[in-house]
Amino acid sequence: MRSLVFFIALFCCLSATAQRPRDTIFSAKLNADRTFTVSLPLSYGQTKDKKYPLLLLLDGEYLFDIFDGNFAFGNYWDDLPEVIIVGIDQNKENQREADCMMNQEGLPEETGAAFFEFIGAELLPALEKQYRLSPFRIIAGHNITAGFMNLFLYKEDPLFSGYISMGAEFGEQMMERIPVMLKTAKKPIFYYHSSADGDLKHNLKGIQTLDGNIKTILNSNINYRYDEFKGASHYSLVAYSVPNAIYHIFSSYQPISKTEFDEKLVKLESGYVDYLVKKYETINKAYGAKMAIRITDFKAVEAAILKNKAYAEFEKLAALSRKAYPKSMLSAYHMGMFYEKTGDFKKALKAYQAGFSLDAIGDLTKDFIVEKVEEMKQGASAKKAAAAEPEPTPTETTEPAKEEQPATEKP
């Protein structure tokens, strides 16, 4: 299993070798230029209005490729959204140590305070001005940068919605402060952190303490996960953490899986269409995105309706598909299913025929509609013939005449 994880990580890194723009910004807070790398989604130049979540990477030089590769792989299968990734260079002349300077109370000081202000007051506004960013932002780091990034949680309105902390080195009192801030969060916060049994001992103690403290929090806005990897080191834990972290943060984004279908959707007694609507409301609220309902998710709800014979819900599903894909034949198909399953073949025929003038979508083609139309014609004809056939009238019943026996002569 471990070798498979490394193979996937290596594959993702190799697949992310395309050139990426590098940029430099002058920081008045730091009185220096800071360089960063940007990865834009493939669709960025094809759309003008779409906005994308931001992933900001500290330790950008060595974290960039593995995050970029994993997102490219996950987005290919529609498990993860497209994101804009920005990696800050920090590994030159002990720059990361200066950037993450904190006092004994675990608060930023001197160059650490300046770097903190650089991200919030200079870098993020510059990125928002240059790129189309959604409100959903994630920050990630490793070792001291993982500890430092938690300082953004201390704000009353945190700048980031997602936090990926790998093998963190925490400052004093941070293990107690972080849970307090998470407990009072009024907006959804996704928090992931990890360690390994081969991690640095002084880091591991603080990580485990924080895990225990966070698990006592009762706040529905907190989406939390902690992983401790067996047989991994302080450095190799990154390869394990990245896919787990981003799939945790975007768990609600993913299409309805077989597990979700079997364990949640199909077990409902009713409300299959409502389940789908709520799922996408959650996606839009959590990630600040306006996402069209996937065709595969429509098909999952359709399957649940058929399995539970809740045919009346097809009418509600038709209204939803008409809103989502008004130019496609999906809504006509759902209305046809509603009438067909409720026994009105004449109306089903008209509904399916209405799909001819609309666009095909997914595996719903005009050839398929032709087949449904022929089925409805046959069904309507059979129903009409059955209605026209006269019913037998009741008659008096008499006992059948006894069969006459041949006469026999007496001897």
Side-chain angles (χ1 to χ4, degrees):
M1 180 66 181
R2 191 179 311 154
S3 60
L4 177 62
V5 173
F6 278 109
F7 174 77
I8 293 174
L10 179 62
F11 172 83
C12 291
C13 289
L14 292 176
S15 68
T17 56
Q19 291 186 354
R20 311 178 186 94
R22 287 178 60 79
D23 204 348
T24 300
I25 181 175
F26 176 76
S27 170
K29 303 290 183 181
L30 296 167
N31 193 29
D33 287 333
R34 296 307 297 260
T35 304
F36 56 92
T37 305
V38 181
S39 175
L40 295 177
L42 292 175
S43 68
Y44 190 84
Q46 302 169 6
T47 59
K48 295 182 179 181
D49 300 323
K50 184 177 179 181
K51 295 185 178 182
Y52 300 84
L54 170 69
L55 170 61
L56 183 66
L57 299 176
L58 308 182
D59 283 323
E61 293 97 328
Y62 68 87
L63 290 183
F64 197 99
D65 281 344
I66 194 167
F67 272 98
D68 193 32
N70 272 274
F71 267 103
F73 183 82
N75 178 254
Y76 181 86
W77 299 108
D78 199 25
D79 281 341
L80 298 172
E82 290 183 304
V83 301
I84 294 175
I85 303 176
V86 175
I88 305 174
D89 291 356
Q90 288 186 274
N91 286 270
K92 184 179 180 181
E93 298 176 355
N94 296 323
Q95 200 168 50
R96 69 198 298 264
E97 284 77 12
D99 289 343
C100 299
M101 184 177 293
M102 291 184 282
N103 59 25
Q104 292 183 349
E105 296 181 354
L107 298 173
E109 68 174 3
E110 299 181 11
T111 54
F115 183 70
F116 182 85
E117 290 297 324
F118 158 68
I119 291 178
E122 295 178 329
L123 180 60
L124 287 179
L127 294 174
E128 289 175 344
K129 185 176 180 180
Q130 187 169 357
Y131 303 107
R132 299 192 303 273
L133 301 179
S134 76
F136 192 75
R137 302 167 181 161
I138 310 166
I139 189 170
H142 177 228
N143 194 17
I144 60 173
T145 61
F148 183 86
M149 71 173 196
N150 286 278
L151 297 173
F152 291 101
L153 275 171
Y154 292 3
K155 288 182 170 291
E156 184 176 352
D157 185 15
L159 292 176
F160 298 93
S161 304
Y163 297 79
I164 302 175
S165 168
M166 300 173 288
E169 179 180 330
F170 293 111
E172 295 293 330
Q173 301 181 32
M174 293 189 78
M175 287 77 75
E176 289 73 33
R177 281 200 179 106
I178 293 170
V180 170
M181 302 312 298
L182 293 176
K183 186 177 182 179
T184 58
K186 298 178 181 179
K187 297 180 180 179
I189 295 289
F190 297 84
Y191 195 96
Y192 174 90
H193 75 138
S194 62
S195 66
D197 54 3
D199 207 343
L200 305 177
K201 290 185 178 179
H202 63 278
N203 286 5
L204 189 58
K205 183 179 179 181
I207 293 169
Q208 292 174 338
T209 299
L210 177 62
D211 173 56
N213 291 341
I214 292 179
K215 286 179 177 175
T216 63
I217 295 174
L218 298 176
N219 186 345
S220 60
N221 286 322
I222 304 304
N223 299 273
Y224 174 72
R225 174 170 174 171
Y226 169 64
D227 286 326
E228 184 174 328
F229 298 104
K230 305 300 180 184
S233 69
H234 177 65
Y235 303 100
S236 64
L237 69 86
V238 172
Y240 294 98
S241 300
V242 172
N244 284 10
I246 58 181
Y247 272 86
H248 165 67
I249 289 176
F250 289 103
S251 58
S252 299
Y253 172 90
Q254 295 161 33
I256 296 173
S257 63
K258 186 178 185 304
T259 301
E260 184 178 357
F261 179 85
D262 291 338
E263 297 182 0
K264 294 182 179 179
L265 181 58
V266 81
K267 288 185 176 181
L268 295 174
E269 295 182 0
S270 62
Y272 308 101
V273 179
D274 291 338
Y275 179 93
L276 184 60
V277 171
K278 187 176 180 180
K279 178 180 176 70
Y280 279 82
E281 286 177 349
T282 300
I283 291 174
N284 294 339
K285 180 181 178 181
Y287 308 121
K290 292 182 179 180
M291 183 179 176
I293 300 174
R294 299 174 178 92
I295 303 302
T296 55
D297 287 347
F298 271 113
K299 290 180 71 67
V301 172
E302 175 190 330
I305 291 172
L306 290 171
K307 189 173 182 64
N308 290 285
K309 298 181 180 180
Y311 304 132
E313 290 219 20
F314 271 120
E315 188 173 21
K316 193 172 183 179
L317 190 63
L320 184 62
S321 57
R322 187 182 303 113
K323 183 178 180 181
Y325 299 97
K327 296 181 180 180
S328 80
M329 59 178 66
L330 189 61
S331 178
Y333 166 69
H334 288 150
M335 282 305 300
M337 290 292 287
F338 167 70
Y339 289 123
E340 177 185 347
K341 294 301 181 181
T342 53
D344 194 332
F345 297 108
K346 189 175 180 180
K347 288 186 178 180
L349 175 61
K350 290 182 179 180
Y352 287 131
Q353 286 176 329
F356 280 124
S357 60
L358 300 171
D359 296 336
I361 185 169
D363 58 1
L364 188 58
T365 64
K366 292 190 177 181
D367 288 340
F368 177 81
I369 293 296
V370 168
E371 294 178 6
K372 296 301 293 184
V373 167
E374 290 302 319
E375 286 181 23
M376 294 308 99
K377 286 181 179 179
Q378 293 174 11
S381 298
K383 189 174 182 180
K384 185 176 180 181
E389 185 177 340
E391 296 182 3
T393 56
T395 59
E396 292 184 3
T397 58
T398 57
E399 292 185 7
K402 294 183 179 180
E403 186 179 352
E404 294 184 1
Q405 299 294 327
T408 56
E409 295 182 359
K410 293 182 179 180

